[in-house]
Amino acid sequence: MLLQNLAVLVLAGFVGFLVISKVPNTLHTPLMSGTNAIHGIVLLGGLIVLGLGAEGTLDKILLVIAIAFGTINVVGGFLVTDRMLGMFKGRSGSAKDAGKEETTR
């Protein structure tokens, strides 16, 4: 059973890498926002499982670690998305301001 689970994990990682590497740059920000929403649901599920009483100390430790890493991923994803969107807003705002300065001179 362990070998099967490990094989699924490796294949899922490989397929995920291939799919993500094919995403064009223009779709990166919307894709990241969607992924953040999915990770939020995963975090909620982890908290529910932890709250309902996972059996065994190892299970609880793994759940806490998974919740911590998931939280870091969600927060980091939102920060990167916000920064990328800010870069686009900065470009359009600076171009408008530059055009206004030229017309007033």
Side-chain angles (χ1 to χ4, degrees), residues 10 15 18 23-24 27-28 38 57 68-69 71 77-78 84 90-92:
V10 169
V15 169
L18 287 177
V23 174
L27 293 179
H28 185 266
I38 292 170
T57 307
F69 281 140
T71 303
F78 278 121
M84 288 179 70
R91 282 186 191 167
S92 63

Side-chain angles (χ1 to χ4, degrees), residues 44-64:
L44 182 62
L47 289 170
I48 289 172
V49 170
L50 187 63
L52 291 178
E55 297 178 11
T57 307
L58 180 63
D59 291 343
K60 290 179 183 179
I61 291 171
L62 290 176
L63 271 169
V64 169

Side-chain angles (χ1 to χ4, degrees), residues 1-54:
M1 185 70 171
L2 178 66
L3 186 61
Q4 290 175 342
N5 289 341
L6 189 61
V8 169
L9 177 68
V10 169
L11 287 174
F14 182 69
V15 169
F17 176 76
L18 287 177
V19 169
I20 295 299
S21 66
K22 305 276 189 235
V23 174
N25 292 337
T26 56
L27 293 179
H28 185 266
T29 302
L31 180 66
M32 185 174 262
S33 297
T35 307
N36 286 337
I38 292 170
H39 280 106
I41 295 169
V42 170
L43 284 176
L44 182 62
L47 289 170
I48 289 172
V49 170
L50 187 63
L52 291 178

Side-chain angles (χ1 to χ4, degrees), residues 90-105:
R91 282 186 191 167
S92 63
S94 64
K96 289 179 184 177
D97 293 338
K100 287 179 184 176
E101 289 177 8
E102 289 178 8
T103 55
T104 56
R105 289 184 189 180

